Amino acid sequence: MKPLPLRTTLLAAGLIVALAACHKQEAPPMPPPPEVGVVTAQPQNVPLVQDQVGRLSALRTADVRARVPGILLHRLYDEGTDVKAGQKLFKIDPQPLQAELDQQLAQLASNKATAINAKAQADRARGLIGKHYVSQQDLDTAEATERTANASVKQSEAAVQAARINLGFTDVVSPIDGRAGQQQVTEGALVGQNETTLLTQVDQIDKLYVNFSMSVADLDTMRSAAAKGNATLSATDKSTIRIQLPDGSDYAEQGVLDFSSATVNPQTGTVNLRAQLANPDLRLLPGQFVTVKANLGELHNVFLVPQDAVLRDANSAYVLVVGEGHMKDPQTGEDKTVPSAAVRRPIQADRLSGSNWVVTGGLKQGDQIIVQGLPKARENAPVKPAAPKAEGADGAPGQAGAPGAPAGKQ
């Protein structure tokens, strides 16, 4: 093959260099920065709410027991129904105790007759002592016999009263208003023999206790915040609770804290707390587990950040805020400052308030927090901040619970 002339070769090389230069000069422009929805962080005071798992228990639980021995004859109530204080629940065979009462009544009558005779003899001796018809010793003996007879009468009266009380115990009644449980002993069984046999239980459930606990670490954190002025703790009788049912719904009634343990459980490292909660429609039942939201005071100068805006990695929680970023120029490879970029900001977010995280550190007033368009925002890359769009406008959730006003509306 014949080689190309030198001139032709030089022209071809020049053309290649020119094409390369044109290609370099016509590099595609950078894409416009993505638009992101931001809100402006504003400090505020929020309730100090502690979420814990709690368990319900009856306000009062009364054991209904057989207090006298006998055969159980009848159950006089329907199991699982509401009963009143004093209502008869069981009947124990009264015949042996009725016989005991009759015996004590007879003994009382005998002792009264003896006392009457002893009094007559003593009166006679007191009348004759002045005439010296009886000796002083005879008078002393007659009066001692009178006193002994009177004491026997009182003893018999007490025995009769005890027999009447025992006979009354054959009607087993409810000690409180509440809901009666299952029968524990069937009819025909011997009860109360050498022990007070449990027949059933009655639970007062128109009000309930909510029992829960709090770790010592959480309690110490709250007290430390209160000491620094970052929080205000409510008194025990001023603290309130709300509960969330297993289906996720909120219970309408509000409870009041009425007990806080003064000691720490050494096995769990927690402090026991208890609240009273009204249960007017009897929807809640003792033994039920619920989520307790205890309002124990107020946090000062914190920020509420929507949950979707808070990101987490292995090190910490963080948000992206609009600020000054630093990145390499893709064309020159040199570091450059980006005045309006998505900047990572580590935060302290340990508790929730509704749909927002409560941020106690890492933010400052006026920070523009990116709450929409996070998938499009890259750290230190430029972004275009704008007011967040309403729900459904661009597929992103609305930010009704955002911290403060949208950007540009402070």
Side-chain angles (χ1 to χ4, degrees), residues 106-251:
Q107 185 64 45
L108 174 61
S110 174
N111 289 339
K112 283 183 176 180
T114 301
I116 291 173
N117 292 333
K119 183 179 184 304
Q121 292 180 5
D123 289 343
R124 187 179 301 109
R126 282 188 288 268
L128 297 176
I129 188 65
K131 299 178 181 180
H132 303 288
Y133 290 151
V134 296
S135 65
Q136 185 64 42
Q137 182 178 359
D138 291 339
L139 175 61
D140 292 343
T141 301
E143 288 181 339
T145 302
E146 180 186 23
R147 290 191 294 270
T148 301
N150 289 336
S152 296
V153 170
K154 291 184 179 297
Q155 186 176 13
S156 292
E157 288 175 346
V160 168
Q161 184 180 5
R164 289 187 190 279
I165 291 173
N166 288 336
L167 181 61
F169 285 155
T170 59
D171 291 325
V172 184
V173 301
S174 173
I176 61 173
D177 293 347
R179 181 162 294 180
Q182 286 185 316
Q183 177 181 357
Q184 301 296 313
V185 180
T186 60
E187 290 83 352
L190 177 63
V191 297
Q193 190 70 27
N194 300 324
E195 63 178 4
T196 54
T197 307
L198 178 65
L199 303 180
T200 189
Q201 285 185 327
V202 178
D203 296 314
Q204 180 183 347
I205 59 175
D206 58 342
K207 288 186 178 180
L208 295 173
Y209 283 131
V210 184
N211 302 285
F212 60 102
S213 60
M214 183 184 302
S215 70
V216 177
D218 288 344
L219 186 61
D220 185 67
T221 299
M222 289 191 297
R223 289 177 174 172
S224 177
K228 296 176 182 177
N230 297 329
T232 301
L233 300 182
S234 302
T236 298
D237 59 349
K238 301 296 183 182
S239 300
T240 60
I241 69 157
R242 294 279 186 182
I243 67 170
Q244 191 176 65
L245 301 177
D247 63 0
S249 61
D250 293 327
Y251 188 64

Side-chain angles (χ1 to χ4, degrees), residues 7 150 225 322 332 395 405:
R7 183 178 179 182
N150 289 336
V322 178
T332 65

Side-chain angles (χ1 to χ4, degrees), residues 281-327:
D281 56 359
L282 307 185
R283 177 183 179 184
L284 305 177
L285 297 175
Q288 186 174 351
F289 285 97
V290 294
T291 299
V292 181
K293 298 181 178 295
N295 187 346
L296 304 176
E298 189 176 59
L299 290 172
H300 305 315
N301 297 322
V302 297
F303 302 90
L304 293 182
V305 179
Q307 293 186 43
D308 292 340
V310 177
L311 308 173
R312 294 182 184 272
D313 59 15
N315 297 320
S316 66
Y318 65 95
V319 295
L320 295 180
V321 300
V322 178
E324 186 178 274
H326 301 277
M327 63 181 300

Side-chain angles (χ1 to χ4, degrees), residues 12-26:
L15 181 60
I16 293 174
V17 172
L19 289 174
C22 292
H23 179 73
K24 183 176 181 179
Q25 292 175 358
E26 296 176 0

